Amino acid sequence: MNARFGVSRGKTLTVAALAAIVASTISGSASALADGTPARSEHWGVITRNTTGSPVADLRDGPYAMYGTAGSVTSPPYGKGSLGIAVGSSAEKVDFGNEVDFYRDPVLGLTKVGFHVFQTGENASTPGTSLNMPSIRFEIAPNLNPATSPSEYSTLVWVPDAAPVKNRWSGYLDATKSGHWFLTGAMPWCNQTHMCKFTDLRDFLDDGGTAPIINSVAVGKGRDSLWVGAVDGLRINNYVYDFEADGVKARRVF
């Protein structure tokens, strides 16, 4: 049993229904984990070893924008800030995440994952790039049967569907019910050639052996297409991580 995620090895997991969101009583210098253990906001940042070229991943205010004929304003879903991301070409890559506070949490303990995105028409205007979106990435030790994967390292990646809106903030994009997942490395299935859904991914990783564990959590982009936009409200189980100019704040989700 893992205290942080509260699950044991197995295929059946339960979570409380989403009823309300309450900001945690934590200052701008700290955030919170799924089990309420204190964690410092400075544990979030650009993961330098996973960054290539000169991309930008920076906590900022906004973006705010006008959209529609009624002159409505679109704003970040939480607070007044977000994580701004700019990747200038297919040669660049950036990960913004946390390499400390989720270390050794169980992969099979993940039940709720997703975020909100500010997507532009330019990001999806090039033919073949309608799926041009940032991703959520978990570096993990898959601990699969050696016959399935000889690697003790893999990156678990969620690739969202095309953004449902342009030039404004999206609603919540649920990674457990939309888009596709894949694992890097020598995987016979649920790889970049044959991506899978969240439930199928869990079944693949739950092979009855040693439980797979998390090494890091990140939001990232690249290396694929130019993209300029923003992400906010990264959800991991019962916490939403609110990206603000003065730090990353945790909001408890019931």
Side-chain angles (χ1 to χ4, degrees), residues 39-58:
R40 296 187 178 279
S41 183
E42 57 263 31
H43 288 168
W44 291 87
V46 172
I47 300 179
T48 52
R49 59 187 171 79
N50 289 346
T51 298
T52 303
S54 301
V56 173
D58 192 32

Side-chain angles (χ1 to χ4, degrees), residues 69-204:
T69 57
S72 302
V73 177
T74 183
S75 58
Y78 299 96
K80 62 179 183 179
S82 67
L83 172 66
I85 297 175
V87 174
S89 73
S90 60
E92 293 189 346
K93 176 182 182 292
V94 66
D95 276 357
F96 182 98
N98 189 319
E99 302 178 78
V100 176
D101 298 320
F102 299 90
Y103 185 68
R104 301 193 68 81
D105 281 340
V107 175
L108 296 177
L110 291 170
T111 57
K112 297 292 184 181
V113 183
F115 58 24
H116 299 250
V117 169
F118 187 92
Q119 171 75 316
T120 70
E122 288 79 2
N123 288 332
S125 63
T126 303
T129 60
S130 63
L131 294 175
N132 188 20
M133 291 273 282
S135 60
I136 298 174
R137 297 167 175 157
F138 296 88
E139 290 182 294
I140 70 169
N143 293 330
L144 291 168
N145 184 311
T148 304
S149 171
S151 174
E152 285 306 306
Y153 170 85
S154 181
T155 302
L156 172 60
V157 183
W158 175 57
V159 181
D161 291 331
V165 296
K166 301 291 189 298
N167 302 317
R168 59 174 294 189
W169 280 98
S170 74
Y172 176 65
L173 305 179
D174 189 339
T176 69
K177 297 179 180 179
S178 65
H180 292 82
W181 293 80
F182 70 86
L183 290 154
T184 63
M187 301 292 170
W189 186 75
C190 209
N191 52 40
Q192 285 184 274
T193 303
H194 300 96
M195 294 192 225
C196 59
K197 293 296 186 180
F198 183 71
T199 53
D200 296 327
L201 167 75
R202 287 175 44 78
D203 285 342
F204 176 66

